[in-house]
Amino acid sequence: MKKINLLGATGSIGTQTLDIIESNPELFTLTAMSAGRNMKKVSEIIAQFKPQLVSVMEKADADRLQAEFPNVKIVHGDEGLIEAAVGIEADVLLNSVIGSVGLKPTLAAIAAGMTIAIANKETLVAAGDLVVQAAKRHQVPLVPVDSEHSALFQALNGENEKRITQLIITASGGSFRDLTRDQLQHVTVEQALAHPNWSMGNKLTIDSATMMNKGLEVIEAHHLFAMPYDQIECLLHKESIIHSMVEFEDTSVMAQLGSPDMRVPIQYALTYPDRIPMANAKRLRLDEIGKLHFEKMDFERFRALSFAYDAGREGGTLPTAMNAANEVAVQLFMEGRIPFMKIEDIIEQMMDQHQTISHPDLEEILETDRVTRKKVYGIVK
Ligand code: MN3
């Protein structure tokens, strides 16, 4: 029986993780969890899965929950998030919070020797070197949950990593893939949130529309697979059937395919290196799909992707600043306070202004994150 502490339990990945736990009660149990503000859903999850510890964002919500569930330990805030990660002994931390707020709990779980199933890409972007070094030091596996990285991880199974020539990350293109930059000027939040292939949380869907999501994933891949940026390619593939590929020195390419269903990579992260049947899954029928399409990635059209390569190549605190700028800009766009195209401008401006620290410690990373967020709010006022 694998004990799972789940951060971000009411989000898209969190909900699908709970599906997998529910379908396999003899294999998995939920020991602790965190959530934000969706208290109705939190109550339902506690009643059904009976975790021992629950963390929520606000103290008032925590007090109400404690009255409702006197036998569950209820905590809140940033400290509560860390408790949800490590306060109850477990085998796996599945971290699916959105944003760099996931960094501290991840580091705490690594120090506690837990396997990390990582869906929280911003943590690897903001502090990839620190997280990977800590995982090595504590001999803790970092297992990817993101579909592209799970595909790469699966394609690398049993391979000699020295023989890799390229990681090829596929991109669906997001909700605006067929629009020109001119047409992007007046797009709305509702249009941005309508992703053609994947049903995901709002932040991730906006990141897909700007292509920053793919940029974050390039940096994530760099850290997870110790691969130089020159050997990480992105390929536009609108059907999202090939989830990513690895090319080797003999020109062989290994790909992982499947219907777009996030439960597959989530479950694989929990059962690795084994596999188990997937409840209610749609099997891949290539004869029904017929054709798959591929296009070269246009860096002029998707500027955010080139920002991410630039930030990744420079390293240090620049990816931290880029990520913080993006997180706030996406929030401001969703609140209707800036137009879509302003997201890129804000990221570019914050990267230009940032003085990179080459080998930052945790405090310097957290400070970069704080200062950049503050600056973005400053320019929008
Ligand atoms: Mn992805």
Side-chain angles (χ1 to χ4, degrees), residues 121 146-149 198 200 204 213-214 217 220 262:
K121 62 188 78 176
D146 208 348
S147 61
E148 295 80 359
H149 305 78
W198 297 94
M200 314 180 286
L204 192 51
N213 180 51
K214 215 43 59 178
E217 290 181 352
E220 191 184 2
M262 275 311 295

Side-chain angles (χ1 to χ4, degrees), residues 5 11 16 21-22 26 43 67-68 96 131 158 161 193 198 223 235 238 276 281 293 335 344:
N5 290 352
Q16 296 179 81
I21 296 175
E22 184 183 8
E26 70 295 349
S43 291
E68 191 182 347
S96 67
V131 171
E161 296 188 4
L193 287 178
W198 297 94
H223 290 296
L235 182 68
K238 293 184 178 179
I276 58 171
H293 296 82
E335 289 167 7
E344 284 176 1

